[in-house]
Structures are given as structure tokens and as C-alpha cells.
Amino acid sequence: MKFLRVLFVLGGLLVHACAHAYTIDREAFSFTNYDLDVRIEPEQQRLAVRGKITLRNDSKSPQKNLSLQISSTLDWRSIQVDGKPVQFVSQPYTSDIDHTGALSEALVTLPSEVQPKASIQLEIGYEGVIQLDATRLTRIGVPAPVAAHSDWDQIGKTFTAVRGIGYVAWYPVATESANLSEGNSVFETVARWKAREVGAQLKIKLSHSGEGTPAIPVCNGEVGSLRSSQQTGKTYESVNECTFLPLGETVPLFVIGNFDNLERPSVNISLSPDHKKAAESYALAAQLAAPFVTDWFGAPRGRTEVKAEVVELGDPEAAPYESGSMLLTPLNADLKLAQLMAVHQLTHSTLFSPRPWIYEGLAHFAQAVYLERENGRQAALDFMGLHRIAVAEAEKASAETRASNAGVTQSLMNTSIEEFYRSKAMYVWWMLRDIVGESALKQALAAYRADADRTPDYLQRLIEAQAKRDLETFFADWVYHDRGLPDFHIGSVYPREMLGNNYVVTVTVENSGGAGAEVPVTLTMEQGQVTKRLEVAAKSQATVRFEAASVPQEISVNDGSVPESDTSNHVYKIEIPAKKK
Ligand SMILES: [Zn+2]
């Protein structure tokens, strides 16, 4: 009766909480417009915001209360409607969508109910500090130094970098609590928020002041016309505008540092002045990778003309972060590594898709194809192999939630799990290329238009038109549904000796997994190898016949190009009985 006891305890808590607070639907409102005046004092690590936000009731019932959440190190100063202060209670709210693991939540009582579809404008003010804080990671056991390389956001004297939702709630949001120790809940919550905010408009006036040479601000939106810098004695005050019209999938961020600039045809780099060599290495890498990316994905056709942008992070061990075609990363002098990063980034600046599995999947796929071109197919398979276990684990977890009937299905079309829309998607693109051939896939991609991608089967039709081949089953198994992975093993092998030293080898491959695939089957002979491709549907088997001109020795299935849950049982040794004299 453990379950009942838990329920009872929870019930008690709920009653207790309700007596003191509101019952509130935190995700009832979408934030449709932000107009924020953001002032930053790097020396004090302070942020102060004044501005207006517009919220629309997207729920089905009238709302009298609403929630506004900001990072827990910020405090609410004022909330007004039509110039009059409204009643609100500020409370800490535990949630891992912020690096501190908590939010300052204002529970606002509105002067009157907001009807479904109606909007309300609020004038708001809040301020506080944003310091390096990795509490949400350290409290689940991540060692502090490791956590700090991941949650590196902060306002600092020499360097400032602050990302938005999922890292720092530096602008107001409203979501249900998310917890890093509960599966994928942080990613799901952030994805839900982003989906609601796709059409939102965000306009910020970013001011900062300091001493000495004015530090340069960078943001990942459109840089506005407002741009000024004033020097009074030793101190300066700089004002810049940054707009997101609309926000789309972007997580708004700002960076302030004493950057130098390196501008090249394919990339702009903001670097710290003493890292010129590493920046030049990255610029060279981008230059070397650019023709490859153009060959694959054509001329740039993002949402707007966007150039790849790199901003150097101060911490040399910081985990890189990408937002659209902007990459925040420590600069590294390793040219090979830089080329791989550049391929990913240039792919983003060339082809935009609102679907993460296309946008990110293609960028990872491009890295694998680039490696193949530089170092051969095996190098690409090894690179993809680094992702295989992560995909298999994510599939296992996904199958468990499916079985318990909770959570959304994680098809590539709607997943918020990175292992799927990055790693699994990379494999899907690789398999598609193996199935339809490189030129058909390139032509399909050249015809891809983000604004025409409105129906789930848009991409399937594009590729089918070039490949002249039905891809319904493949897309159903890999893209439209989450059916897990294939699991191949060799069912049987029959070698039969023909005239001379010739053999016919009949191989049956079984797939006990939930997704079908076209898989390479390789016969190794005394002299040479031959590979054939065999389509094996889910939960079934298929047979392929080889003609061998010398003694057959071994059959192997799957060279690593198809992700599988279990990669043992892939090799079968063929024993040919010694000939009777
Ligand atoms: Zn990416």
C-alpha cells in the first residue's frame, strides 16, 4: 500500500498549501510581447529591469491570477496594470529551469478577470545579481568544478554571459516546476515554453556601464539602430538595442566582454585580444569547411541572411553553447576539432528549419559526412558510434514511459529529447543517404524551404520526388513514431558449393526490434569482401544471397550505420567442411 500512503501525504500537503496560496494555472498565459529596459552593472554583477510585458490568456477559462517568474537571485520591485500597482505575493519557487534551481515567483492578483484569448499589459520592475551559480547541478551530485563549466552564466567584472530560459530566467517566464532528477522534465518544460513563445516579440534596450574601454555587447537577436556610448571621466555608459521579431526557437542571450573582432566571409568571431591565434585557426577551419557545406546544402537561406557568429567564452573549459548560427565556445587551436565545429555551425547558417530534428540532425549529419570525406567511411561510423549508446539509452527510457502510459510520444517530429533530435536524427539522415543516394538527397535538400515545411510529410515527399522511391515505412518507423531501434542478428547462413571453387551463400537476417531498416550485410571471403544492402522490416526477417568466387569465411550485419539496441550477434563464422579427397 505504498502508493496510497504517498498519495495521502501529498493530499495533506496540497490542502495545506492551498490554504495559504492560490490555485494557479502557471501555463495559462502566453507572453506575447516584451519591451524591456535592461541595465547591467558588471562591477556589481547587477541587473535591473524595467519594462512592459503583454500576456494573453491561452487557456479555456477566465484567469484572475497569474504567475511571473524570474531567477531566484532577482527580486520583484513593482508590478502595475494601467499605472496602478497590483497586489502580488512574492515567493521562492523550486525549479531547475534556472541555474540557481529556484525562481522568484510573483503571484499576481489581477484587478479583473482576463477572458480566454484576451490580453493584459503589465508594467514591471525587478533587480538583483546574476552570479556564477550551479546549484541545480551540484545538488544532484555533479562535482562543483564540472558544474561550473556547464552553468557558466554570470554577470562579471571582466566577462558577462547570460543565457535565457533553461539557464537564467533574466526575463519573466511562467512554467510549472521542472526537476533535473525527474527524467527529461527540464527539457520538456523549456520545450513547452518555447512552443508557446514562437510568435512572441522581445525588444530589449541593453545598457551597461563601467570603467576604461567600453566593453562590447553581443546578443543573438537583430541589432537595432540604437547604439551609443558615452564617456564621462573614467566611466562609460553604453546603450544597445536587440530585438527578436519573433523569438522563434531562440533562447535570448547577451554577452559583454572586451572583444576584438575577426571578420571573414563565412564567419565573424568575437575574441579576447590575447587569443588571436586560436581565432584565426577557427576562421581558417570555417574557410576550409565552407565549400563542403555549400556543396551539400546550397546557398545560405536562413530565416534572414545570417552569418555564422562565434563568441569566445572566457572559461577555457566551458561547455560550448549554440543558439541558431551563434556559437559560444572557448577557442581551441586544434584545427581538426575547429573544422568539425565549423561544419556544424555553417550548416546552421545555411539551412534553417523550424523542426529541431532537421535543423540539428542535419548539422550533426554534416559533421559525419565531412569526416567521411576527410578520413573515410569508418571514421564517420566511429564518430556516429559515439552517439549510439546515448540513443539506445534514451530509447530505453522512452519505452518505459510509453509502457507506463505517461508523457508524450518521442517521435522525431515532436521530441524535446536531445539524444533524439540530435543523435538519432543524425543516424536517420545517414540512413536516408544510404537508401536514396547522395545526389537525390542533395537535390531534395536544395528544394527544402522552411516556410513550406507545414505538413508532417513535406520532407518525405521532397525526398521521394528525387529518389523515385516509396519511403512511407521508413518515415513511419523513424520519424513519425518512436518505435525504438532495430535489433539485428544473423538467423542462418547456408553456404553451398557450386562448380569450381564457387559458392552461393544464403543469409537470413532477423530483426527483433520495433523499427525496420535497410542494413548492410557483408560477406568476407578468402579473397575480398562483398556488401549488399538488405531491408529487414520490424519484427521480421529477410534473406539475401551472395555468390562467392573464393571460400566464404564470415558474414557480418550492420557496419554501424544503423543504430541498434544491441550490437552483439553481428558476426557469423562460416565453417566449410574440409573437402573429401
Ligand atoms: Zn546545432
Side-chain angles (χ1 to χ4, degrees):
M1 285 288 115
K2 192 179 165 201
F3 179 66
L4 276 181
R5 211 159 47 232
V6 170
L7 207 65
F8 176 76
V9 172
L10 279 178
L13 277 177
L14 273 177
V15 169
H16 181 76
C18 291
H20 292 274
Y22 307 77
T23 45
I24 186 159
D25 177 359
R26 288 190 166 81
E27 303 192 4
F29 286 91
S30 293
F31 291 47
T32 54
N33 193 60
Y34 292 85
D35 193 348
L36 305 178
D37 190 340
V38 177
R39 304 181 69 81
I40 291 159
E41 291 171 53
E43 303 264 341
Q44 273 72 48
Q45 304 191 281
R46 283 193 74 79
L47 170 105
V49 178
R50 299 287 179 273
K52 293 192 182 108
I53 53 175
T54 308
L55 280 65
R56 184 183 61 221
N57 180 3
D58 278 348
S59 76
K60 291 196 169 66
S61 35
Q63 301 290 332
K64 179 83 165 111
N65 303 310
L66 59 82
S67 151
L68 299 176
Q69 301 164 339
I70 48 177
S71 183
S72 68
T73 55
L74 305 172
D75 293 312
W76 286 103
R77 288 282 178 256
S78 85
I79 301 172
Q80 302 190 342
V81 173
D82 292 331
K84 293 191 196 81
V86 290
Q87 199 193 334
F88 72 91
V89 180
S90 187
Q91 64 162 21
Y93 185 63
T94 305
S95 180
D96 286 340
I97 62 157
D98 188 82
H99 64 159
T100 62
L103 298 160
S104 289
E105 178 174 58
L107 295 168
V108 180
T109 306
L110 296 166
S112 57
E113 284 187 333
V114 178
Q115 297 303 313
K117 303 255 187 308
S119 291
I120 182 164
Q121 196 185 63
L122 302 157
E123 295 111 64
I124 51 167
Y126 56 92
E127 55 197 60
V129 294
I130 296 178
Q131 295 169 321
L132 187 77
D133 190 328
T135 305
R136 64 170 174 172
L137 294 174
T138 50
R139 75 177 171 207
I140 56 165
V142 179
V146 178
H149 296 318
S150 174
D151 274 353
W152 36 253
D153 308 77
Q154 61 180 306
I155 293 175
K157 202 169 159 181
T158 53
F159 188 74
T160 291
V162 181
R163 294 168 285 184
I165 188 165
Y167 301 91
V168 183
W170 62 267
Y171 49 91
V173 299
T175 62
E176 291 298 333
S177 173
N179 190 328
L180 278 176
S181 56
E182 280 166 16
N184 202 41
S185 85
V186 170
F187 284 110
E188 276 167 13
T189 304
V190 171
R192 233 174 26 242
W193 170 260
K194 278 171 146 182
R196 273 156 63 201
E197 295 299 300
V198 159
Q201 313 233 326
L202 171 64
K203 196 165 136 199
I204 62 171
K205 194 174 109 189
L206 187 68
S207 341
H208 73 281
S209 51
E211 290 198 346
T213 324
I216 297 167
V218 180
C219 87
N220 58 344
E222 296 275 322
V223 178
S225 51
L226 181 67
R227 193 171 253 269
S228 74
S229 187
Q230 265 190 344
Q231 197 90 26
T232 345
K234 274 188 187 165
T235 61
Y236 69 85
E237 158 125 53
S238 154
V239 182
N240 291 270
E241 225 172 25
C242 184
T243 56
F244 303 80
L245 309 169
L247 205 45
E249 285 283 317
T250 314
V251 171
L253 62 85
F254 59 86
V255 182
I256 301 168
N258 282 100
F259 294 121
D260 269 0
N261 240 316
L262 189 69
E263 291 200 15
R264 292 290 152 85
S266 50
V267 66
N268 279 351
I269 305 178
S270 302
L271 60 136
S272 70
D274 49 345
H275 283 165
K276 195 142 186 257
K277 204 162 158 252
E280 275 168 352
S281 175
Y282 192 89
L284 174 64
Q287 190 191 324
L288 291 172
F292 165 81
V293 174
T294 309
D295 173 49
W296 257 97
F297 304 102
R301 51 185 192 292
R303 183 174 299 184
T304 50
E305 278 291 299
V306 278
K307 195 167 165 184
E309 184 116 19
V310 176
V311 181
E312 184 181 5
L313 289 174
D315 170 6
E317 287 179 63
Y321 175 76
E322 57 170 353
S323 163
S325 52
M326 179 180 280
L327 176 67
L328 276 61
T329 181
L331 287 171
N332 185 303
D334 184 336
L335 187 62
K336 287 272 167 228
L337 190 67
Q339 273 173 279
L340 271 189
M341 287 170 87
V343 166
H344 187 106
Q345 212 193 347
L346 293 177
T347 304
H348 281 330
S349 63
T350 303
L351 193 147
F352 174 77
S353 171
R355 302 188 190 275
W357 85 270
I358 297 179
Y359 189 64
E360 287 302 340
L362 274 178
H364 290 277
F365 164 73
Q367 292 179 300
V369 178
Y370 189 74
L371 271 174
E372 178 189 48
R373 202 193 62 168
E374 297 288 292
N375 306 316
R377 183 172 167 100
Q378 194 54 49
L381 295 177
D382 292 346
F383 170 77
M384 295 204 300
L386 300 173
H387 295 251
R388 190 193 63 82
I389 290 176
V391 176
E393 301 268 304
E395 285 288 6
K396 221 170 117 192
S398 172
E400 277 159 19
T401 34
R402 258 202 320 275
S404 69
N405 225 344
V408 286
T409 150
Q410 299 291 343
S411 79
L412 283 190
M413 296 303 277
N414 66 16
T415 186
S416 59
I417 296 179
E418 282 199 279
E419 286 85 348
F420 285 171
Y421 70 75
R422 292 180 185 276
S423 306
K424 183 178 177 180
M426 170 186 66
Y427 274 112
V428 166
W429 285 107
W430 186 275
M431 289 189 288
L432 274 170
R433 188 188 65 152
D434 274 350
I435 294 170
V436 305
E438 191 157 311
S439 74
L441 186 58
K442 277 182 183 169
Q443 278 159 14
L445 289 173
Y448 181 86
R449 294 289 175 273
D451 51 5
D453 189 354
R454 295 177 192 285
T455 50
D457 66 351
Y458 168 74
L459 182 80
Q460 183 199 331
R461 303 286 168 237
L462 273 189
I463 302 176
E464 282 178 342
Q466 297 300 331
K468 314 264 183 289
R469 190 178 157 156
D470 179 4
L471 296 168
E472 187 66 40
T473 313
F474 181 86
F475 271 80
D477 278 5
W478 291 92
V479 180
Y480 304 146
H481 307 279
D482 179 19
R483 291 179 172 160
L485 301 176
D487 184 2
F488 299 113
H489 56 276
I490 296 164
S492 63
V493 176
Y494 292 115
R496 192 151 60 93
E497 193 174 357
M498 311 301 281
L499 285 175
N501 208 15
N502 289 334
Y503 293 82
V504 168
V505 184
T506 308
V507 181
T508 300
V509 175
E510 294 174 357
N511 175 6
S512 52
E518 201 182 280
V519 69
V521 181
T522 299
L523 166 69
T524 305
M525 298 160 286
E526 212 166 56
Q527 282 146 15
Q529 273 192 339
V530 55
T531 297
K532 289 191 173 183
R533 301 185 59 78
L534 179 64
E535 194 179 333
V536 196
K539 310 260 182 237
S540 63
Q541 57 180 47
T543 297
V544 61
R545 215 165 257 115
F546 291 92
E547 276 159 36
S550 60
V551 180
Q553 295 177 323
E554 190 181 286
I555 288 288
S556 67
V557 62
N558 197 1
D559 57 357
S561 55
V562 179
E564 271 190 75
S565 46
D566 177 10
T567 52
S568 58
N569 293 337
H570 276 181
V571 178
Y572 186 99
K573 297 263 178 240
I574 303 171
E575 308 286 348
I576 301 287
K579 282 182 189 167
K580 286 174 194 143
K581 297 262 159 82

